[in-house]
Amino acid sequence: MRFNFVFREVVTGLRRNVTMTVAMILTTAISLGLLGTGLLAVHTIDQTESLYGDRLEVVVSLTLDVSTRDQDCSQSICAGLQSQLKSSPLVQSVNFENQQQAYARFERLFQGQTLAGLARPQGLPASLRVKLVDPNQTDALRALLQGKVGISRITDQRDVVERLFSFLRTIRDVVFTLALIEVLAAALLISNMVQLSAYNRRTEVGVMRLVGATRWYTQLPFLLEAAVTGVVGTALAVGSLLVGKALFLDSAISNGFGDGVIPMIQYSDILSVSPWLFLLGIGIASITGYVTLRLYVRL
């Protein structure tokens, strides 16, 4: 009987305040959807850093005259630079890339784009691709090679990848900020819904208190109303993340960055953050409802 009563009270409360219930569910869904997006962005950043952590090199580009004359790094200028780099304690490995190999790499990177058809092997420099023992020792490597003949420029690939990381971190920060605002809005809606529901049923609750019902028993339906809206809102948020991945996210990443540039978000990644979203959704709704009842409602 007690369970049936509580269940009926929850259904009645949700039905009476249907417009506010819908608004709260949608606000919760938006806020937790944004939060989930932020968590996925953090996961993507971690995966991208892991993906590129062992691949990043310092590219020592040779001048075009040296690149054209020396296709196998056997002549004095290129061979001398390679030997000096291999003997340095800063360097883990050195690989020579001639103009044809540089052109093949260029075609892979810009496959299908207009830029790929404009380049020629003769216009691309050969390079020594250096992997450092400590990736933070780029300045020391620059000092080692400063003033050496045959070098046109030295490029640290970390600087290029850092722009990508910076872009992803900006997205993460913006999404988390919007999620925080939406969570606050959801909490305010929950508080208003609980107060309104309690006011509409003040007579029934008063009678229950007179016949000996405990405070927890009279408050439980209101807390369950808030929890139910939190669960439904979270379910909509998770569903929107799954649909968004299938319809928009994969194509947006491929078109914006190219295949393989950053790791694709998998369905398992979304499912792995879903339990945390459900806990947060239920927690925000329940805690807000409880605090509202304690501070503003006399039951």
Side-chain angles (χ1 to χ4, degrees), residues 263-291:
M264 288 290 187
I265 294 174
Q266 306 298 323
Y267 287 109
S268 59
D269 298 328
I270 298 176
L271 295 177
S272 68
V273 303
S274 296
W276 299 106
L277 296 181
F278 274 102
L279 286 175
L280 186 60
I282 296 171
I284 291 174
S286 301
I287 292 172
T288 302
Y290 176 76
V291 172

Side-chain angles (χ1 to χ4, degrees), residues 193-272:
M193 186 187 76
V194 170
Q195 292 184 61
L196 182 60
S197 182
Y199 179 79
N200 289 335
R201 284 181 279 172
R202 62 189 183 280
T203 302
E204 299 97 308
V205 172
V207 172
M208 291 172 61
R209 292 287 290 164
L210 286 175
V211 298
T214 64
R215 181 181 294 273
W216 268 110
Y217 188 65
T218 57
Q219 290 181 349
L220 185 59
F222 304 103
L223 296 178
L224 289 179
E225 287 176 29
V228 167
T229 55
V231 170
V232 175
T234 306
L236 286 177
V238 173
S240 67
L241 291 176
L242 294 171
V243 172
K245 170 185 163 47
L247 297 182
F248 307 109
L249 186 59
D250 289 347
S251 60
I253 291 177
S254 297
N255 295 334
F257 298 101
D259 292 334
V261 176
I262 64 176
M264 288 290 187
I265 294 174
Q266 306 298 323
Y267 287 109
S268 59
D269 298 328
I270 298 176
L271 295 177
S272 68

Side-chain angles (χ1 to χ4, degrees), residues 50 71 76 91 138 148 156 158 165-166 197 210 230 285 287:
S50 176
Q71 293 296 316
S76 59
V91 176
T138 305
K148 299 294 182 181
D156 186 358
R158 289 190 311 157
F165 292 160
S166 178
S197 182
L210 286 175
I287 292 172

